[in-house]
Amino acid sequence: MGIRYSKVEGKFQREIVLLKSFPCAYGKCSFCNYIEDNSNNEEEINEVNLEVLKEITGEFGVLEVINSGSVFEIPKKTLEKIRDVVYEKDIKILYFEIFYSYLSRLDEIISYFNEKKKVEIRFRTGIESFDNDFRRNVYKKNILLDEKKIKELSEKIYSVCLLIATQGQTKEMIKNDIELGLKYFKAITINVFVNNGTVVKRDDELVKWFVQDMKHLFDNDRVEILIDNKDLGVFEQ
């Protein structure tokens, strides 16, 4: 079962839940093993999720929902319960994950959760790297971006996730990714890769460099850094 509810303290304090969902619409990222948590059994998905959602207290007024995919893969019954909890616990800010292909549908989620109360919806998306060649050929995330598209993306997306310290990356690539992320988005999450059985492998020398030479980022109020993939406190075993 793992741990599906946690509290994140510090500059990005929030409650966070890891929910089950239908399979990721893309599901081809070479670095991702989270999709193993997905299911086609809607009854099972809702049963797990409704139990997890009971843990939410509304303590911070901020809730993040992650689900090994996009919010659009969460079943309707679970979405209804999330909305009920958001209203009952007076959640003011709600984070969801989305995949790039869902950009044209974000208003559906915004409207749904603002039906009875005003809730600020913040969307995150995993870009992983702004280097098109590396993202598409190594991470197998087939998105093609230029600065115009990045700017358009930043108008809809609150924050992006960057994946660093993988074999084949360079320090210059990582620096450029962080620079672009901070230039265009309100916040970024930097995920330091941890070997997880996929074909993508960790570069320990890049990890050492990042922790030593880029340590100033740890104090940046717009940057969340996850050194370990369990740093948020939620994980599926």
Side-chain angles (χ1 to χ4, degrees), residues 128-143:
E128 320 312 340
S129 173
F130 290 105
D131 184 300
N132 283 315
D133 179 69
F134 199 79
R135 184 192 328 103
R136 300 175 81 194
N137 295 317
V138 176
Y139 290 156
K140 304 299 182 184
K141 198 156 203 168
N142 194 24
I143 301 169

Side-chain angles (χ1 to χ4, degrees), residues 116-168:
K116 295 181 180 178
K117 286 187 179 182
K118 183 170 177 54
V119 181
E120 180 182 347
I121 307 297
R122 295 180 177 178
F123 295 104
R124 297 187 193 274
T125 192
I127 290 300
E128 320 312 340
S129 173
F130 290 105
D131 184 300
N132 283 315
D133 179 69
F134 199 79
R135 184 192 328 103
R136 300 175 81 194
N137 295 317
V138 176
Y139 290 156
K140 304 299 182 184
K141 198 156 203 168
N142 194 24
I143 301 169
L144 187 61
L145 295 173
D146 54 27
E147 289 221 30
K148 181 181 178 181
K149 288 184 178 178
I150 294 171
K151 186 176 186 302
E152 291 172 351
L153 182 65
S154 71
E155 293 169 357
K156 296 185 176 183
I157 299 296
Y158 184 85
S159 64
V160 291
C161 297
L162 302 174
L163 185 63
I164 72 162
T166 61
Q167 292 179 8

Side-chain angles (χ1 to χ4, degrees), residues 1-9 12 14-19 34 52 55 64 66 189 191 224-237:
M1 182 68 176
I3 298 175
R4 293 186 177 274
Y5 168 84
S6 182
K7 295 179 183 179
V8 179
E9 306 284 354
F12 292 102
R14 62 199 187 274
E15 291 179 277
I16 184 169
V17 290
L18 169 61
L19 302 183
Y34 293 136
V52 176
E55 300 284 335
E64 179 171 9
I66 59 176
T189 298
N191 297 285
E224 183 167 50
I225 299 173
L226 306 180
I227 296 294
D228 187 277
N229 57 2
K230 295 181 181 179
D231 279 351
L232 291 178
V234 292
F235 55 90
E236 171 61 13
Q237 292 180 328

Side-chain angles (χ1 to χ4, degrees), residues 104-127:
S104 63
R105 296 182 57 191
L106 301 188
D107 284 344
E108 295 176 28
I109 300 299
I110 295 171
S111 297
Y112 183 78
F113 282 90
N114 279 270
E115 188 175 278
K116 295 181 180 178
K117 286 187 179 182
K118 183 170 177 54
V119 181
E120 180 182 347
I121 307 297
R122 295 180 177 178
F123 295 104
R124 297 187 193 274
T125 192
I127 290 300

Side-chain angles (χ1 to χ4, degrees), residues 2 11 15 30 36-37 42 44 56 66 71-72 87 96 102 114 134 137 141 148 158-159 163-164 184 186 191 201 225:
K11 55 186 175 183
E15 291 179 277
S30 60
E36 296 171 5
D37 188 41
E42 186 168 355
E44 174 202 17
I56 297 169
I66 59 176
V71 59
F72 293 97
Y87 290 167
F96 282 119
Y102 286 119
N114 279 270
F134 199 79
N137 295 317
K141 198 156 203 168
K148 181 181 178 181
Y158 184 85
S159 64
L163 185 63
I164 72 162
Y184 287 105
K186 295 180 180 67
N191 297 285
K201 301 302 177 186
I225 299 173

Side-chain angles (χ1 to χ4, degrees), residues 21-62:
S21 66
F22 294 121
C24 173
Y26 185 67
K28 300 174 186 176
C29 297
S30 60
F31 57 86
C32 181
N33 67 345
Y34 293 136
I35 57 175
E36 296 171 5
D37 188 41
N38 295 334
S39 173
N40 283 303
N41 186 331
E42 186 168 355
E43 183 177 348
E44 174 202 17
I45 294 171
N46 286 321
E47 182 179 357
V48 170
N49 291 346
L50 266 55
E51 281 300 311
V52 176
L53 293 170
K54 291 178 181 178
E55 300 284 335
I56 297 169
T57 66
E59 176 181 348
F60 305 120
V62 184

